[in-house]
Amino acid sequence: MGDLPPDLERLRTLETWLVLSLDRVREQIAAVERPAQPQRAPRPPAAARPARPRRTPTPDWGISAVGIGEPVAEIHRGDCFAGGRTLRPVSAERARAELADGVQACGVCRPDRVLNRP
Protein backbone atom coordinates (compact mmCIF):
# COMPACT_ATOMS: atom_id res chain seq x y z
CA MET A 1 0.00 0.00 0.00
CA GLY A 2 3.02 2.25 -0.18
CA ASP A 3 2.12 3.47 -3.70
CA LEU A 4 -1.04 5.33 -2.57
CA PRO A 5 -1.02 8.90 -1.25
CA PRO A 6 -1.20 9.17 2.56
CA ASP A 7 -3.68 12.06 2.86
CA LEU A 8 -7.50 11.89 2.52
CA GLU A 9 -7.81 14.67 -0.06
CA ARG A 10 -5.57 12.93 -2.61
CA LEU A 11 -7.17 9.53 -1.87
CA ARG A 12 -10.62 11.02 -2.63
CA THR A 13 -9.27 12.52 -5.88
CA LEU A 14 -7.84 9.16 -6.89
CA GLU A 15 -11.14 7.45 -6.04
CA THR A 16 -13.04 9.90 -8.25
CA TRP A 17 -10.65 9.34 -11.14
CA LEU A 18 -10.97 5.55 -10.79
CA VAL A 19 -14.79 5.71 -10.74
CA LEU A 20 -14.83 7.87 -13.88
CA SER A 21 -12.35 5.55 -15.57
CA LEU A 22 -14.43 2.50 -14.65
CA ASP A 23 -17.56 4.17 -16.11
CA ARG A 24 -15.71 4.84 -19.39
CA VAL A 25 -14.50 1.23 -19.53
CA ARG A 26 -18.03 -0.10 -18.94
CA GLU A 27 -19.43 2.19 -21.67
CA GLN A 28 -16.81 0.89 -24.11
CA ILE A 29 -17.62 -2.73 -23.19
CA ALA A 30 -21.32 -2.05 -23.86
CA ALA A 31 -20.50 -0.44 -27.21
CA VAL A 32 -18.40 -3.45 -28.24
CA GLU A 33 -21.09 -5.92 -27.15
CA ARG A 34 -23.94 -4.11 -28.97
CA PRO A 35 -23.05 -5.30 -32.51
CA ALA A 36 -22.86 -8.89 -31.23
CA GLN A 37 -26.54 -8.77 -30.22
CA PRO A 38 -29.11 -9.51 -32.93
CA GLN A 39 -30.43 -6.32 -34.48
CA ARG A 40 -34.16 -5.74 -34.66
CA ALA A 41 -35.48 -4.18 -37.79
CA PRO A 42 -36.75 -0.67 -37.05
CA ARG A 43 -40.52 -0.34 -37.12
CA PRO A 44 -41.84 1.73 -39.99
CA PRO A 45 -43.60 4.95 -39.01
CA ALA A 46 -47.32 4.65 -38.32
CA ALA A 47 -48.18 6.32 -41.62
CA ALA A 48 -46.24 3.65 -43.57
CA ARG A 49 -47.86 0.69 -41.82
CA PRO A 50 -51.05 -0.72 -43.33
CA ALA A 51 -54.15 0.23 -41.38
CA ARG A 52 -55.81 -2.57 -39.46
CA PRO A 53 -59.56 -2.86 -39.79
CA ARG A 54 -61.20 -1.45 -36.69
CA ARG A 55 -63.51 -3.70 -34.72
CA THR A 56 -67.01 -2.42 -34.34
CA PRO A 57 -67.57 -1.53 -30.69
CA THR A 58 -69.92 -3.81 -28.81
CA PRO A 59 -73.28 -2.08 -28.34
CA ASP A 60 -74.87 -1.91 -24.90
CA TRP A 61 -78.21 -3.18 -26.21
CA GLY A 62 -79.47 -4.76 -29.39
CA ILE A 63 -82.49 -6.18 -31.14
CA SER A 64 -82.47 -9.28 -33.30
CA ALA A 65 -84.93 -11.37 -35.25
CA VAL A 66 -85.20 -14.98 -34.06
CA GLY A 67 -87.35 -17.91 -35.05
CA ILE A 68 -87.92 -20.14 -38.04
CA GLY A 69 -90.43 -19.05 -40.64
CA GLU A 70 -92.03 -16.13 -38.85
CA PRO A 71 -89.18 -14.22 -37.13
CA VAL A 72 -89.85 -12.64 -33.76
CA ALA A 73 -87.92 -9.62 -32.49
CA GLU A 74 -85.93 -10.08 -29.29
CA ILE A 75 -84.00 -7.60 -27.10
CA HIS A 76 -80.45 -8.56 -26.00
CA ARG A 77 -77.52 -7.12 -24.10
CA GLY A 78 -74.83 -6.15 -26.57
CA ASP A 79 -72.43 -8.86 -25.37
CA CYS A 80 -75.02 -11.67 -25.44
CA PHE A 81 -73.94 -14.67 -27.52
CA ALA A 82 -77.56 -15.58 -28.24
CA GLY A 83 -78.07 -12.38 -30.25
CA GLY A 84 -76.17 -13.86 -33.15
CA ARG A 85 -74.90 -11.87 -36.10
CA THR A 86 -78.22 -10.15 -36.76
CA LEU A 87 -78.01 -8.01 -33.61
CA ARG A 88 -78.82 -4.38 -34.47
CA PRO A 89 -77.54 -1.85 -31.91
CA VAL A 90 -80.21 0.20 -30.14
CA SER A 91 -80.14 2.73 -27.30
CA ALA A 92 -81.29 1.85 -23.81
CA GLU A 93 -84.35 4.07 -24.28
CA ARG A 94 -85.29 2.28 -27.50
CA ALA A 95 -84.77 -1.13 -25.85
CA ARG A 96 -87.03 -0.08 -22.93
CA ALA A 97 -89.67 1.15 -25.36
CA GLU A 98 -89.54 -2.09 -27.35
CA LEU A 99 -89.90 -4.14 -24.15
CA ALA A 100 -92.85 -1.95 -23.10
CA ASP A 101 -94.43 -2.56 -26.53
CA GLY A 102 -94.27 -6.32 -25.96
CA VAL A 103 -91.05 -7.30 -27.70
CA GLN A 104 -89.63 -10.42 -26.11
CA ALA A 105 -86.55 -10.22 -23.83
CA CYS A 106 -83.74 -12.72 -24.39
CA GLY A 107 -83.97 -15.63 -21.98
CA VAL A 108 -80.19 -15.91 -21.76
CA CYS A 109 -78.99 -12.38 -20.97
CA ARG A 110 -82.30 -11.15 -19.48
CA PRO A 111 -82.04 -7.45 -20.45
CA ASP A 112 -85.46 -6.79 -18.92
CA ARG A 113 -84.00 -7.22 -15.44
CA VAL A 114 -81.60 -4.33 -16.00
CA LEU A 115 -83.68 -2.10 -18.28
CA ASN A 116 -86.83 -2.16 -16.13
CA ARG A 117 -85.06 -0.98 -12.98
CA PRO A 118 -86.18 2.47 -11.81
PDB file of all heavy atoms in Angstrom, residues 40-65:
ATOM      1  N   ARG A  40     -32.744  -5.738 -34.276  1.00  0.00           N
ATOM      2  CA  ARG A  40     -34.158  -5.745 -34.662  1.00  0.00           C
ATOM      3  C   ARG A  40     -34.347  -4.740 -35.778  1.00  0.00           C
ATOM      4  O   ARG A  40     -33.754  -3.665 -35.766  1.00  0.00           O
ATOM      5  CB  ARG A  40     -35.047  -5.350 -33.491  1.00  0.00           C
ATOM      6  CG  ARG A  40     -35.096  -6.377 -32.404  1.00  0.00           C
ATOM      7  CD  ARG A  40     -36.083  -5.923 -31.356  1.00  0.00           C
ATOM      8  NE  ARG A  40     -36.137  -6.894 -30.282  1.00  0.00           N
ATOM      9  CZ  ARG A  40     -36.693  -6.662 -29.121  1.00  0.00           C
ATOM     10  NH1 ARG A  40     -37.228  -5.494 -28.868  1.00  0.00           N
ATOM     11  NH2 ARG A  40     -36.731  -7.582 -28.195  1.00  0.00           N
ATOM     12  N   ALA A  41     -35.178  -5.113 -36.703  1.00  0.00           N
ATOM     13  CA  ALA A  41     -35.484  -4.180 -37.790  1.00  0.00           C
ATOM     14  C   ALA A  41     -36.295  -3.024 -37.210  1.00  0.00           C
ATOM     15  O   ALA A  41     -37.215  -3.236 -36.421  1.00  0.00           O
ATOM     16  CB  ALA A  41     -36.280  -4.877 -38.876  1.00  0.00           C
ATOM     17  N   PRO A  42     -35.972  -1.805 -37.581  1.00  0.00           N
ATOM     18  CA  PRO A  42     -36.747  -0.668 -37.053  1.00  0.00           C
ATOM     19  C   PRO A  42     -38.177  -0.722 -37.579  1.00  0.00           C
ATOM     20  O   PRO A  42     -38.426  -1.122 -38.716  1.00  0.00           O
ATOM     21  CB  PRO A  42     -36.002   0.553 -37.572  1.00  0.00           C
ATOM     22  CG  PRO A  42     -35.209   0.062 -38.731  1.00  0.00           C
ATOM     23  CD  PRO A  42     -34.923  -1.394 -38.476  1.00  0.00           C
ATOM     24  N   ARG A  43     -39.110  -0.354 -36.722  1.00  0.00           N
ATOM     25  CA  ARG A  43     -40.520  -0.337 -37.121  1.00  0.00           C
ATOM     26  C   ARG A  43     -40.761   0.832 -38.054  1.00  0.00           C
ATOM     27  O   ARG A  43     -40.275   1.933 -37.817  1.00  0.00           O
ATOM     28  CB  ARG A  43     -41.421  -0.192 -35.903  1.00  0.00           C
ATOM     29  CG  ARG A  43     -41.420  -1.427 -35.027  1.00  0.00           C
ATOM     30  CD  ARG A  43     -42.429  -1.309 -33.941  1.00  0.00           C
ATOM     31  NE  ARG A  43     -43.754  -1.422 -34.541  1.00  0.00           N
ATOM     32  CZ  ARG A  43     -44.874  -1.242 -33.884  1.00  0.00           C
ATOM     33  NH1 ARG A  43     -44.857  -0.923 -32.630  1.00  0.00           N
ATOM     34  NH2 ARG A  43     -46.029  -1.364 -34.483  1.00  0.00           N
ATOM     35  N   PRO A  44     -41.523   0.601 -39.101  1.00  0.00           N
ATOM     36  CA  PRO A  44     -41.836   1.725 -39.987  1.00  0.00           C
ATOM     37  C   PRO A  44     -42.741   2.716 -39.262  1.00  0.00           C
ATOM     38  O   PRO A  44     -43.451   2.350 -38.328  1.00  0.00           O
ATOM     39  CB  PRO A  44     -42.568   1.073 -41.157  1.00  0.00           C
ATOM     40  CG  PRO A  44     -43.042  -0.235 -40.651  1.00  0.00           C
ATOM     41  CD  PRO A  44     -42.111  -0.641 -39.543  1.00  0.00           C
ATOM     42  N   PRO A  45     -42.713   3.969 -39.653  1.00  0.00           N
ATOM     43  CA  PRO A  45     -43.603   4.947 -39.014  1.00  0.00           C
ATOM     44  C   PRO A  45     -45.064   4.545 -39.198  1.00  0.00           C
ATOM     45  O   PRO A  45     -45.412   3.809 -40.116  1.00  0.00           O
ATOM     46  CB  PRO A  45     -43.290   6.259 -39.729  1.00  0.00           C
ATOM     47  CG  PRO A  45     -42.360   5.936 -40.829  1.00  0.00           C
ATOM     48  CD  PRO A  45     -41.901   4.526 -40.685  1.00  0.00           C
ATOM     49  N   ALA A  46     -45.902   5.035 -38.310  1.00  0.00           N
ATOM     50  CA  ALA A  46     -47.315   4.649 -38.318  1.00  0.00           C
ATOM     51  C   ALA A  46     -47.978   4.920 -39.659  1.00  0.00           C
ATOM     52  O   ALA A  46     -48.843   4.167 -40.103  1.00  0.00           O
ATOM     53  CB  ALA A  46     -48.060   5.384 -37.205  1.00  0.00           C
ATOM     54  N   ALA A  47     -47.567   5.989 -40.334  1.00  0.00           N
ATOM     55  CA  ALA A  47     -48.184   6.322 -41.623  1.00  0.00           C
ATOM     56  C   ALA A  47     -47.825   5.287 -42.685  1.00  0.00           C
ATOM     57  O   ALA A  47     -48.586   5.060 -43.620  1.00  0.00           O
ATOM     58  CB  ALA A  47     -47.736   7.702 -42.066  1.00  0.00           C
ATOM     59  N   ALA A  48     -46.675   4.621 -42.567  1.00  0.00           N
ATOM     60  CA  ALA A  48     -46.242   3.655 -43.570  1.00  0.00           C
ATOM     61  C   ALA A  48     -46.844   2.273 -43.339  1.00  0.00           C
ATOM     62  O   ALA A  48     -46.880   1.457 -44.249  1.00  0.00           O
ATOM     63  CB  ALA A  48     -44.722   3.555 -43.570  1.00  0.00           C
ATOM     64  N   ARG A  49     -47.280   1.992 -42.116  1.00  0.00           N
ATOM     65  CA  ARG A  49     -47.860   0.685 -41.820  1.00  0.00           C
ATOM     66  C   ARG A  49     -49.275   0.599 -42.373  1.00  0.00           C
ATOM     67  O   ARG A  49     -50.018   1.580 -42.352  1.00  0.00           O
ATOM     68  CB  ARG A  49     -47.912   0.456 -40.310  1.00  0.00           C
ATOM     69  CG  ARG A  49     -46.562   0.060 -39.755  1.00  0.00           C
ATOM     70  CD  ARG A  49     -46.660  -0.254 -38.298  1.00  0.00           C
ATOM     71  NE  ARG A  49     -46.192   0.941 -37.601  1.00  0.00           N
ATOM     72  CZ  ARG A  49     -46.623   1.348 -36.428  1.00  0.00           C
ATOM     73  NH1 ARG A  49     -47.535   0.684 -35.789  1.00  0.00           N
ATOM     74  NH2 ARG A  49     -46.140   2.429 -35.875  1.00  0.00           N
ATOM     75  N   PRO A  50     -49.674  -0.579 -42.850  1.00  0.00           N
ATOM     76  CA  PRO A  50     -51.050  -0.716 -43.333  1.00  0.00           C
ATOM     77  C   PRO A  50     -52.034  -0.595 -42.170  1.00  0.00           C
ATOM     78  O   PRO A  50     -51.767  -1.059 -41.071  1.00  0.00           O
ATOM     79  CB  PRO A  50     -51.090  -2.122 -43.929  1.00  0.00           C
ATOM     80  CG  PRO A  50     -49.931  -2.842 -43.340  1.00  0.00           C
ATOM     81  CD  PRO A  50     -48.905  -1.805 -42.979  1.00  0.00           C
ATOM     82  N   ALA A  51     -53.142   0.031 -42.420  1.00  0.00           N
ATOM     83  CA  ALA A  51     -54.155   0.233 -41.383  1.00  0.00           C
ATOM     84  C   ALA A  51     -54.877  -1.084 -41.111  1.00  0.00           C
ATOM     85  O   ALA A  51     -55.235  -1.811 -42.026  1.00  0.00           O
ATOM     86  CB  ALA A  51     -55.154   1.292 -41.820  1.00  0.00           C
ATOM     87  N   ARG A  52     -55.057  -1.379 -39.845  1.00  0.00           N
ATOM     88  CA  ARG A  52     -55.814  -2.566 -39.456  1.00  0.00           C
ATOM     89  C   ARG A  52     -57.294  -2.213 -39.453  1.00  0.00           C
ATOM     90  O   ARG A  52     -57.672  -1.110 -39.068  1.00  0.00           O
ATOM     91  CB  ARG A  52     -55.427  -3.015 -38.056  1.00  0.00           C
ATOM     92  CG  ARG A  52     -54.036  -3.545 -37.963  1.00  0.00           C
ATOM     93  CD  ARG A  52     -53.771  -4.023 -36.554  1.00  0.00           C
ATOM     94  NE  ARG A  52     -52.395  -4.407 -36.407  1.00  0.00           N
ATOM     95  CZ  ARG A  52     -51.787  -4.552 -35.250  1.00  0.00           C
ATOM     96  NH1 ARG A  52     -52.461  -4.349 -34.141  1.00  0.00           N
ATOM     97  NH2 ARG A  52     -50.537  -4.905 -35.197  1.00  0.00           N
ATOM     98  N   PRO A  53     -58.122  -3.158 -39.858  1.00  0.00           N
ATOM     99  CA  PRO A  53     -59.558  -2.858 -39.788  1.00  0.00           C
ATOM    100  C   PRO A  53     -59.980  -2.712 -38.333  1.00  0.00           C
ATOM    101  O   PRO A  53     -59.580  -3.488 -37.481  1.00  0.00           O
ATOM    102  CB  PRO A  53     -60.217  -4.075 -40.444  1.00  0.00           C
ATOM    103  CG  PRO A  53     -59.178  -5.141 -40.463  1.00  0.00           C
ATOM    104  CD  PRO A  53     -57.845  -4.474 -40.390  1.00  0.00           C
ATOM    105  N   ARG A  54     -60.734  -1.700 -38.055  1.00  0.00           N
ATOM    106  CA  ARG A  54     -61.195  -1.452 -36.693  1.00  0.00           C
ATOM    107  C   ARG A  54     -62.386  -2.358 -36.385  1.00  0.00           C
ATOM    108  O   ARG A  54     -63.264  -2.552 -37.214  1.00  0.00           O
ATOM    109  CB  ARG A  54     -61.629   0.002 -36.542  1.00  0.00           C
ATOM    110  CG  ARG A  54     -60.529   0.965 -36.842  1.00  0.00           C
ATOM    111  CD  ARG A  54     -60.152   1.695 -35.601  1.00  0.00           C
ATOM    112  NE  ARG A  54     -59.145   2.700 -35.895  1.00  0.00           N
ATOM    113  CZ  ARG A  54     -58.049   2.813 -35.198  1.00  0.00           C
ATOM    114  NH1 ARG A  54     -57.840   2.022 -34.196  1.00  0.00           N
ATOM    115  NH2 ARG A  54     -57.164   3.735 -35.495  1.00  0.00           N
ATOM    116  N   ARG A  55     -62.379  -2.892 -35.162  1.00  0.00           N
ATOM    117  CA  ARG A  55     -63.513  -3.698 -34.724  1.00  0.00           C
ATOM    118  C   ARG A  55     -64.658  -2.771 -34.356  1.00  0.00           C
ATOM    119  O   ARG A  55     -64.461  -1.714 -33.769  1.00  0.00           O
ATOM    120  CB  ARG A  55     -63.150  -4.532 -33.505  1.00  0.00           C
ATOM    121  CG  ARG A  55     -62.240  -5.678 -33.837  1.00  0.00           C
ATOM    122  CD  ARG A  55     -61.980  -6.527 -32.642  1.00  0.00           C
ATOM    123  NE  ARG A  55     -63.240  -7.033 -32.119  1.00  0.00           N
ATOM    124  CZ  ARG A  55     -63.362  -7.580 -30.919  1.00  0.00           C
ATOM    125  NH1 ARG A  55     -62.338  -7.680 -30.141  1.00  0.00           N
ATOM    126  NH2 ARG A  55     -64.524  -8.030 -30.508  1.00  0.00           N
ATOM    127  N   THR A  56     -65.830  -3.182 -34.708  1.00  0.00           N
ATOM    128  CA  THR A  56     -67.010  -2.419 -34.341  1.00  0.00           C
ATOM    129  C   THR A  56     -67.193  -2.540 -32.837  1.00  0.00           C
ATOM    130  O   THR A  56     -67.132  -3.642 -32.295  1.00  0.00           O
ATOM    131  CB  THR A  56     -68.256  -2.982 -35.053  1.00  0.00           C
ATOM    132  OG1 THR A  56     -67.974  -3.083 -36.430  1.00  0.00           O
ATOM    133  CG2 THR A  56     -69.457  -2.105 -34.819  1.00  0.00           C
ATOM    134  N   PRO A  57     -67.391  -1.431 -32.133  1.00  0.00           N
ATOM    135  CA  PRO A  57     -67.567  -1.529 -30.694  1.00  0.00           C
ATOM    136  C   PRO A  57     -68.839  -2.306 -30.351  1.00  0.00           C
ATOM    137  O   PRO A  57     -69.827  -2.263 -31.079  1.00  0.00           O
ATOM    138  CB  PRO A  57     -67.665  -0.081 -30.231  1.00  0.00           C
ATOM    139  CG  PRO A  57     -67.938   0.720 -31.440  1.00  0.00           C
ATOM    140  CD  PRO A  57     -67.455  -0.068 -32.620  1.00  0.00           C
ATOM    141  N   THR A  58     -68.768  -3.033 -29.256  1.00  0.00           N
ATOM    142  CA  THR A  58     -69.924  -3.809 -28.813  1.00  0.00           C
ATOM    143  C   THR A  58     -70.992  -2.860 -28.298  1.00  0.00           C
ATOM    144  O   THR A  58     -70.719  -2.034 -27.422  1.00  0.00           O
ATOM    145  CB  THR A  58     -69.513  -4.776 -27.687  1.00  0.00           C
ATOM    146  OG1 THR A  58     -68.456  -5.596 -28.163  1.00  0.00           O
ATOM    147  CG2 THR A  58     -70.670  -5.645 -27.254  1.00  0.00           C
ATOM    148  N   PRO A  59     -72.214  -2.969 -28.820  1.00  0.00           N
ATOM    149  CA  PRO A  59     -73.276  -2.077 -28.338  1.00  0.00           C
ATOM    150  C   PRO A  59     -73.717  -2.491 -26.941  1.00  0.00           C
ATOM    151  O   PRO A  59     -73.499  -3.625 -26.513  1.00  0.00           O
ATOM    152  CB  PRO A  59     -74.399  -2.288 -29.349  1.00  0.00           C
ATOM    153  CG  PRO A  59     -74.182  -3.667 -29.868  1.00  0.00           C
ATOM    154  CD  PRO A  59     -72.693  -3.879 -29.856  1.00  0.00           C
ATOM    155  N   ASP A  60     -74.340  -1.570 -26.227  1.00  0.00           N
ATOM    156  CA  ASP A  60     -74.869  -1.907 -24.905  1.00  0.00           C
ATOM    157  C   ASP A  60     -76.119  -2.769 -25.024  1.00  0.00           C
ATOM    158  O   ASP A  60     -76.331  -3.675 -24.235  1.00  0.00           O
ATOM    159  CB  ASP A  60     -75.186  -0.647 -24.115  1.00  0.00           C
ATOM    160  CG  ASP A  60     -73.925   0.107 -23.720  1.00  0.00           C
ATOM    161  OD1 ASP A  60     -72.860  -0.536 -23.596  1.00  0.00           O
ATOM    162  OD2 ASP A  60     -74.006   1.331 -23.542  1.00  0.00           O
ATOM    163  N   TRP A  61     -76.942  -2.477 -26.020  1.00  0.00           N
ATOM    164  CA  TRP A  61     -78.210  -3.180 -26.211  1.00  0.00           C
ATOM    165  C   TRP A  61     -78.416  -3.433 -27.692  1.00  0.00           C
ATOM    166  O   TRP A  61     -77.888  -2.712 -28.535  1.00  0.00           O
ATOM    167  CB  TRP A  61     -79.384  -2.357 -25.666  1.00  0.00           C
ATOM    168  CG  TRP A  61     -79.134  -1.939 -24.261  1.00  0.00           C
ATOM    169  CD1 TRP A  61     -78.736  -0.723 -23.817  1.00  0.00           C
ATOM    170  CD2 TRP A  61     -79.197  -2.771 -23.118  1.00  0.00           C
ATOM    171  NE1 TRP A  61     -78.554  -0.739 -22.468  1.00  0.00           N
ATOM    172  CE2 TRP A  61     -78.840  -1.994 -22.004  1.00  0.00           C
ATOM    173  CE3 TRP A  61     -79.529  -4.114 -22.904  1.00  0.00           C
ATOM    174  CZ2 TRP A  61     -78.795  -2.499 -20.708  1.00  0.00           C
ATOM    175  CZ3 TRP A  61     -79.488  -4.603 -21.610  1.00  0.00           C
ATOM    176  CH2 TRP A  61     -79.129  -3.810 -20.532  1.00  0.00           C
ATOM    177  N   GLY A  62     -79.198  -4.456 -27.999  1.00  0.00           N
ATOM    178  CA  GLY A  62     -79.468  -4.758 -29.388  1.00  0.00           C
ATOM    179  C   GLY A  62     -80.794  -5.466 -29.559  1.00  0.00           C
ATOM    180  O   GLY A  62     -81.387  -5.967 -28.604  1.00  0.00           O
ATOM    181  N   ILE A  63     -81.248  -5.495 -30.802  1.00  0.00           N
ATOM    182  CA  ILE A  63     -82.489  -6.177 -31.135  1.00  0.00           C
ATOM    183  C   ILE A  63     -82.187  -7.115 -32.303  1.00  0.00           C
ATOM    184  O   ILE A  63     -81.438  -6.767 -33.205  1.00  0.00           O
ATOM    185  CB  ILE A  63     -83.611  -5.167 -31.473  1.00  0.00           C
ATOM    186  CG1 ILE A  63     -84.944  -5.875 -31.619  1.00  0.00           C
ATOM    187  CG2 ILE A  63     -83.273  -4.358 -32.702  1.00  0.00           C
ATOM    188  CD1 ILE A  63     -86.128  -4.918 -31.658  1.00  0.00           C
ATOM    189  N   SER A  64     -82.709  -8.318 -32.225  1.00  0.00           N
ATOM    190  CA  SER A  64     -82.470  -9.277 -33.300  1.00  0.00           C
ATOM    191  C   SER A  64     -83.767  -9.989 -33.636  1.00  0.00           C
ATOM    192  O   SER A  64     -84.714 -10.007 -32.848  1.00  0.00           O
ATOM    193  CB  SER A  64     -81.409 -10.301 -32.887  1.00  0.00           C
ATOM    194  OG  SER A  64     -81.908 -11.146 -31.878  1.00  0.00           O
ATOM    195  N   ALA A  65     -83.773 -10.580 -34.823  1.00  0.00           N
ATOM    196  CA  ALA A  65     -84.931 -11.369 -35.252  1.00  0.00           C
ATOM    197  C   ALA A  65     -84.589 -12.833 -35.045  1.00  0.00           C
ATOM    198  O   ALA A  65     -83.551 -13.313 -35.488  1.00  0.00           O
ATOM    199  CB  ALA A  65     -85.240 -11.091 -36.709  1.00  0.00           C
TER     200      ALA A  65
END
